[in-house]
Amino acid sequence: IKSGEHEMLLEAKDENANIGSAKATIKIIPVPKYIINTVPNQSMAPGTKVQLSSSLYDQAGEVIGETLDVQLLSPENKLVFSKYTKSGEIIDYEFLQYSQPGTYTLQASYKELKAESKITIEEVKNVKVRYENQTVMVENIGNLFFNDELTFLLQNGASKIPIIKKL
């Protein structure tokens, strides 16, 4: 039964053909039953902005406007953020460009009820190379330690000289 007030009509009849009726109003109190986390994608690249939410539902599957404790944990179970939020409220969060790759856990709780959802941040191995004032600048723009070789070609007319540099 949905939460809220419900009007009932009670009718009675006995063996002597007496008939009676009465209206009564009953109030159904919402009983929290489960929590659902909403995560737009289960896997995403670092640097992604997401809208997360957690909603508390009652016995009739209706959202209850209570306050939930919402936490995001890193792949190593370290607290990324903790927030008290109204059921169904959107939480805007941005996984930074250098966010650690792996599976993060979104947890929501209300009293004894709990829900968990997983979000995977993908591995990105990438560098940005710039030439500035006869200097080569190499910047790691991924979320992994860059341990690889890069080959640069120096060219003077028809002659090309490869330079291999281990980073």
Side-chain angles (χ1 to χ4, degrees):
I1 297 177
K2 285 188 175 188
S3 303
E5 290 189 0
H6 298 274
E7 195 170 283
M8 298 176 66
L9 176 62
L10 305 171
E11 296 180 329
K13 181 176 160 182
D14 67 13
E15 66 273 354
N16 295 328
N18 294 312
I19 299 174
S21 66
K23 287 185 180 178
T25 301
I26 61 169
K27 184 174 181 179
I28 304 296
I29 298 170
V31 178
K33 289 294 183 179
Y34 58 95
I35 299 170
I36 294 179
N37 291 328
T38 303
V39 177
N41 295 314
Q42 301 301 315
S43 182
M44 57 193 74
T48 301
K49 292 180 183 180
V50 294
Q51 291 189 324
L52 309 169
S53 70
S54 299
S55 300
L56 177 65
Y57 292 87
D58 69 6
Q59 73 280 358
E62 299 288 324
V63 175
I64 304 174
E66 295 290 338
T67 299
L68 304 176
D69 181 12
V70 179
Q71 298 181 340
L72 182 65
L73 303 175
S74 73
E76 292 150 347
N77 276 339
K78 291 182 182 173
L79 186 65
V80 175
F81 75 74
S82 180
K83 181 175 181 166
Y84 288 103
T85 182
K86 196 89 164 158
S87 175
E89 182 181 318
I90 300 292
I91 299 170
D92 290 313
Y93 184 75
E94 181 177 2
F95 286 95
L96 300 176
Q97 175 184 355
Y98 302 108
S99 291
Q100 176 185 4
T103 302
Y104 289 70
T105 304
L106 180 67
Q107 297 178 333
S109 62
Y110 176 81
K111 296 184 179 177
E112 72 283 345
L113 298 175
K114 296 184 185 329
E116 272 192 8
S117 298
K118 302 294 183 185
I119 304 167
T120 300
I121 297 300
E122 300 161 357
E123 294 182 349
V124 175
K125 186 175 182 180
N126 201 1
V127 292
K128 178 179 176 183
V129 179
R130 294 180 310 184
Y131 299 100
E132 197 173 292
N133 296 328
Q134 297 183 355
T135 302
V136 176
M137 309 284 266
V138 179
E139 178 186 1
N140 183 354
I141 58 172
N143 62 351
L144 294 174
F145 180 72
F146 192 87
N147 186 14
D148 211 341
E149 286 184 357
L150 292 178
T151 303
F152 300 94
L153 286 176
L154 298 180
Q155 186 171 351
N156 186 6
S159 108
K160 292 181 182 179
I161 302 168
I163 297 178
I164 300 171
K165 187 70 178 165
K166 184 168 177 66
L167 300 178

